């Protein structure tokens, strides 16, 4: 009797496997037929089924899946079916989370729709996955020109200005200001000045997603990622102890440019004085 049960289960598994393979084969044939008929939506659905039933085929069908995804996405874009378009890319990235071509294509759609911060994130990921991917690099540099304000480059190359900031921060830290908040950190240069000057605690906030990501890379490249706490927040939204554990003794910022009032820096400094700075006794 036990042998009979074992044989039954074995036959059942074999039949189920045969049924799976048959369904996968038919779905692949249907996907190919739909592509020939330019029915990209149905072809995409067939490929999703194939990859769900047979994940071992991910490598062999990847190229055709990408082609189908991109064609279907173009059609959805032309029909203004934006939620469906992004849903398709989310499904694709669940299946191929480290595919630079899909990341780059997602970024291109986001950029065309005006989501430049989000597009930059996908282009950046594509370049990290494949540093030799020319299209992704070109796209990333293009979107960076939109997002990284020109005055960042001017200030970074202004050695006299930077030296003045460095000396002022050093003087403040050496006189007892050991906890520092950098508002609108940009590339993180003032935060690093503060840490190198000897500040025990350094916090930095940046509202721009692109500049926040850049600051993280710059701080990490200088081996300070464990010493500087970066916050993707507007300074007005910082709360103690939710975001930082203490009131700080020094606030620094280099957003004092032609956009002084437009950036709301006055309100930020007032908020820092009232809520985030240690008050004189």
């Amino acid at each position: 009797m036990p042998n009979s049960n074992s044989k039954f289960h074995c036959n059942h598994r074999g039949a189920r496997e045969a049924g799976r393979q048959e369904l996968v084969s038919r779905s692949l044939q249907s996907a190919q037929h739909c592509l020939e008929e330019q029915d990209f939506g149905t072809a995409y659905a067939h490929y999703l089924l194939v990859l769900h039933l047979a994940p071992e085929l991910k490598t062999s069908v990847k190229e055709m899946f990408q082609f189908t995804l991109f064609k279907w996405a173009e059609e959805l874009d032309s029909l203004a079916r934006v939620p469906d378009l992004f849903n398709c890319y989310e499904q694709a990235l669940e299946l191929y989370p480290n595919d630079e071509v899909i990341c780059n294509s997602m970024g291109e759609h986001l950029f065309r729709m005006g989501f430049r911060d989000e597009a930059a994130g996908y282009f950046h990921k594509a370049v990290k996955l494949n540093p030799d991917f020319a299209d992704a690099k070109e796209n990333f540099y293009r979107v960076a020109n939109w997002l990284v304000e020109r005055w960042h480059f001017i200030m970074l190359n202004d050695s006299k200005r930077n030296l003045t900031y460095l000396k002022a921060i050093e003087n403040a830290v050496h006189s007892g200001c050991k906890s520092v908040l950098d508002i609108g950190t940009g590339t993180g240069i003032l935060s690093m000045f503060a840490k190198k000057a000897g500040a025990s605690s350094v916090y930095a906030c940046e509202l721009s997603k692109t500049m926040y990501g850049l600051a993280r890379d710059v701080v990490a490249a200088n081996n300070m990622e464990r010493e500087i706490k970066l916050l993707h927040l507007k300074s007005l939204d910082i709360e103690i102890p939710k975001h930082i554990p203490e009131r700080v003794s020094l606030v620094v910022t280099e957003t004092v440019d032609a956009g002084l009032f437009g950036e709301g820096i006055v309100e930020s400094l007032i908020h820092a004085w009232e809520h985030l700075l240690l008050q004189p006794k």
Side-chain angles (χ1 to χ4, degrees):
M1 196 71 175
N3 290 335
S4 176
N5 285 336
S6 175
K7 185 176 181 180
F8 171 79
H9 288 304
C10 183
N11 289 338
H12 180 68
R13 285 195 299 271
R16 187 168 59 184
E17 175 60 20
R20 182 185 74 92
Q21 291 181 3
E22 176 67 17
L23 182 55
V24 168
S25 177
R26 289 188 177 186
S27 293
L28 285 171
Q29 292 174 9
S30 296
Q32 186 60 42
H33 175 73
C34 290
L35 287 176
E36 292 171 0
E37 297 296 319
Q38 296 191 347
D39 183 359
F40 301 117
T42 307
Y44 176 75
H46 280 298
Y47 276 120
L48 285 182
L49 178 61
V50 168
L51 291 168
H52 175 71
L53 292 173
E56 68 273 13
L57 297 180
K58 283 175 69 173
T59 301
S60 60
V61 305
K62 183 172 79 168
E63 189 173 335
M64 289 306 300
F65 175 78
Q66 287 175 340
F67 173 80
T68 306
L69 167 67
F70 300 155
K71 286 294 186 180
W72 180 225
E74 288 176 7
E75 191 172 321
L76 291 172
D77 192 10
S78 69
L79 296 170
R81 291 172 55 181
V82 176
D84 291 332
L85 186 153
F86 288 142
N87 184 50
C88 286
Y89 273 98
E90 287 172 4
Q91 292 170 334
L93 287 169
E94 284 180 8
L95 292 166
Y96 298 97
N98 295 317
D99 188 285
E100 70 273 20
V101 178
I102 295 177
C103 287
N104 182 64
S105 181
M106 174 70 153
E108 289 175 339
H109 281 287
L110 286 165
F111 184 78
R112 284 197 296 269
M113 293 177 187
F115 301 106
R116 291 169 184 150
D117 260 331
E118 292 80 358
Y122 281 99
F123 293 145
H124 187 233
K125 182 178 180 181
V127 172
K128 278 195 168 183
L129 289 168
N130 182 0
D132 297 323
F133 189 8
D135 286 350
K137 287 198 290 187
E138 182 180 343
N139 283 331
F140 181 68
Y141 295 145
R142 179 162 57 108
V143 76
N145 285 332
W146 286 86
L147 294 171
V148 181
E149 295 88 344
R150 298 296 180 185
W151 51 266
H152 276 291
F153 299 109
I154 296 171
M155 289 193 301
L156 288 173
N157 288 287
D158 188 342
S159 57
K160 183 177 180 181
R161 175 192 177 106
N162 292 335
L163 184 60
T164 300
Y165 267 109
L166 174 61
K167 288 182 177 179
I169 290 171
E170 285 179 341
N171 289 338
V173 172
H174 295 163
S175 66
C177 296
K178 297 298 184 181
S179 54
V180 180
L181 171 64
D182 180 4
I183 295 177
T185 191
T187 59
I189 187 170
L190 298 190
S191 296
M192 292 187 290
F193 283 171
K195 196 63 195 178
K196 288 181 177 179
S200 56
S201 303
V202 179
Y203 313 101
C205 63
E206 176 57 56
L207 183 59
S208 165
K209 186 176 180 180
T210 301
M211 294 308 299
Y212 168 74
L214 179 61
R216 288 184 62 181
D217 288 344
V218 171
V219 168
N222 285 273
N223 298 313
M224 292 187 181
E225 65 269 33
R226 295 184 179 180
E227 301 176 12
I228 297 172
K229 182 174 182 179
L230 288 167
L231 302 167
H232 183 212
L233 282 174
K234 190 175 182 180
S235 62
L236 297 172
D237 295 330
I238 295 176
E239 299 177 15
I240 299 172
K242 182 178 179 181
H243 300 115
I244 61 177
E246 60 185 333
R247 284 176 176 262
V248 298
S249 51
L250 177 66
V251 169
V252 296
T253 183
E254 66 174 342
T255 49
V256 184
D257 76 321
L260 172 64
F261 298 101
E263 293 178 17
I265 192 61
V266 174
E267 291 86 349
S268 296
L269 292 174
I270 291 173
H271 174 76
W273 172 258
E274 294 178 344
H275 302 284
L276 306 175
L277 267 171
L278 286 169
Q279 300 297 314
K281 297 181 180 179

